Amino acid sequence: MAYKVIERRMIVPNIHELVIEASAGGLVKPGQFVIVRPDEKGERIPLSVSDFDPTRGVVTCFFQEVGETTSKLALLKAGDTIPTFVGPLGEASEIAHFGTVLLIGGCFGIGSIYPIAKAMKAAGNTVHVLIEARSSFLLYWEDRFEELVDGFHVITRDGTKGYKGHISKLPQILKNEELKPDRVIVNGCTFLMKRASDMTRELQIHTMVNMNPIMIDGTGMCGVCRLTVGGQTKFACVDGPDFDGHLVDWKEFLMRRKTYYEEEVTPLRKSGVGTEFHLSGKHKHKCLEKN
């Protein structure tokens, strides 16, 4: 069976929006993910779901080019097909009335916090969103969040928009905005989730992170996505992907994420597979993360 690509576009440098026609669109819940494969010989990769439309039967995901497989995805055009689309997978995010909820997103995580923000708002929470990037030209979907949530905040490393700095400024931002969240949820790269968890641990704010380890089957059979949470072995595909950020063994997780770095990146450099953006070398992306 083949799955039709409705749209694929680079929404900001090195981050792509992928819309796929799939009946699974009617089954997705906030926080879940899907697994896709660009061709018959391609790697299976997990992508967090950023939006879904049951009426149209489509699922929207964002991905970052980090290796050969994601570069093949980045070459897809509307009307193309992919051989593999599996999902929705994983447990949905816990949605309830917590009071004030702060959602933090960076990179591909900016998109994947959107359905959680909608669900949290529908559950009666006061919802604030904080997104971060190296510069303002790497931000996206700002209009969607501004229309939806009660407070919208930005951090950029170069200070071109919002607060200047990175997520370590979170305590200062909370103080300036007079914001006292009852729950924090973080989606994005490992650095963002780890540092945000470090900050909220000191502030004693319950924090959930959407983990994105290396993954193969997505059903708990292969064990590749295992991580340690609270001293126990967990599998992100069936036990997660959401976990308590204060209980994750981040040191172990970071080591496991580097396991196939050479196998992912070296073939890309040798094969020439990649978009014009990548091949130009003008904006080499430093965040080597899966999605």
Side-chain angles (χ1 to χ4, degrees):
M1 184 173 181
Y3 299 88
K4 184 178 179 181
V5 174
I6 304 300
E7 185 176 18
R8 197 286 310 158
R9 63 180 178 128
M10 187 190 298
I11 193 164
V12 298
N14 214 29
I15 301 290
H16 299 257
E17 181 180 17
L18 179 65
V19 183
I20 301 174
E21 185 178 67
S23 58
L27 304 174
V28 179
K29 295 179 180 178
Q32 291 187 299
F33 66 94
V34 298
I35 285 180
V36 301
R37 194 167 53 138
D39 56 37
E40 294 290 351
K41 297 182 179 179
E43 175 190 10
R44 294 161 58 97
I45 58 170
L47 299 178
S48 300
V49 174
S50 295
D51 204 0
F52 43 91
D53 187 337
T55 304
R56 296 173 59 203
V58 299
V59 173
T60 300
C61 301
F62 288 93
F63 67 92
Q64 178 187 21
E65 284 187 72
V66 294
E68 184 176 3
T69 300
T70 47
S71 288
K72 288 181 178 177
L73 284 177
L75 295 175
L76 292 171
K77 304 181 297 295
D80 288 345
T81 60
I82 59 174
T84 301
F85 177 96
V86 184
L89 298 170
E91 295 289 332
S93 297
E94 181 184 8
I95 305 297
H97 183 265
F98 298 108
T100 298
V101 177
L102 173 62
L103 301 169
I104 301 174
C107 196
F108 51 85
I110 293 175
S112 63
I113 60 173
Y114 180 68
I116 304 173
K118 286 201 295 186
M120 286 294 187
K121 188 66 182 171
N125 294 285
T126 299
V127 179
H128 286 250
V129 163
L130 172 64
I131 62 174
E132 69 91 34
R134 291 183 178 278
S135 186
S136 57
F137 72 90
L138 294 170
L139 302 171
Y140 58 94
W141 275 17
E142 295 168 85
D143 54 341
R144 290 199 182 199
F145 287 114
E146 287 175 336
E147 292 176 357
L148 174 67
V149 301
D150 301 283
F152 181 69
H153 319 280
V154 173
I155 308 175
T156 52
R157 300 281 180 90
D158 60 5
T160 49
K161 189 166 187 177
Y163 287 92
K164 182 177 182 180
H166 52 64
I167 195 60
S168 296
K169 283 208 165 192
L170 181 60
Q172 179 188 335
I173 294 171
L174 296 180
K175 182 178 180 180
N176 291 352
E177 303 292 338
E178 298 182 347
L179 182 58
K180 297 180 179 178
D182 299 290
R183 174 167 290 220
V184 170
I185 299 169
V186 194
N187 286 13
C189 71
T190 306
F191 173 81
L192 175 70
M193 294 191 292
K194 180 183 182 304
R195 288 299 295 155
S197 297
D198 290 342
M199 297 295 102
T200 57
R201 182 184 294 108
E202 296 175 4
L203 298 169
Q204 299 183 332
I205 304 172
H206 187 73
T207 298
M208 300 299 291
V209 293
N210 190 272
M211 300 302 285
N212 47 18
I214 297 168
M215 195 176 292
I216 296 178
D217 68 1
T219 64
M221 297 294 289
C222 70
V224 174
C225 67
R226 68 184 181 274
L227 67 162
T228 302
V229 181
Q232 297 183 334
T233 298
K234 298 288 184 180
F235 299 98
C237 64
V238 291
D239 298 319
D242 286 356
F243 295 100
D244 187 329
H246 299 164
L247 299 179
V248 172
D249 185 335
W250 291 103
K251 183 178 180 181
E252 176 196 66
F253 185 76
L254 286 164
M255 289 178 59
R256 288 185 57 80
R257 287 210 54 116
K258 296 177 181 176
T259 303
Y260 297 107
Y261 175 82
E262 288 299 324
E263 287 80 359
E264 287 179 333
V265 178
T266 301
L268 172 68
R269 292 172 177 166
K270 291 182 178 178
S271 68
V273 173
T275 65
E276 292 181 359
F277 171 79
H278 244 318
L279 296 176
S280 71
K282 293 180 179 178
H283 300 282
K284 185 177 179 181
H285 210 290
K286 295 180 180 178
C287 184
L288 294 174
E289 290 279 353
K290 274 193 173 183
N291 305 293

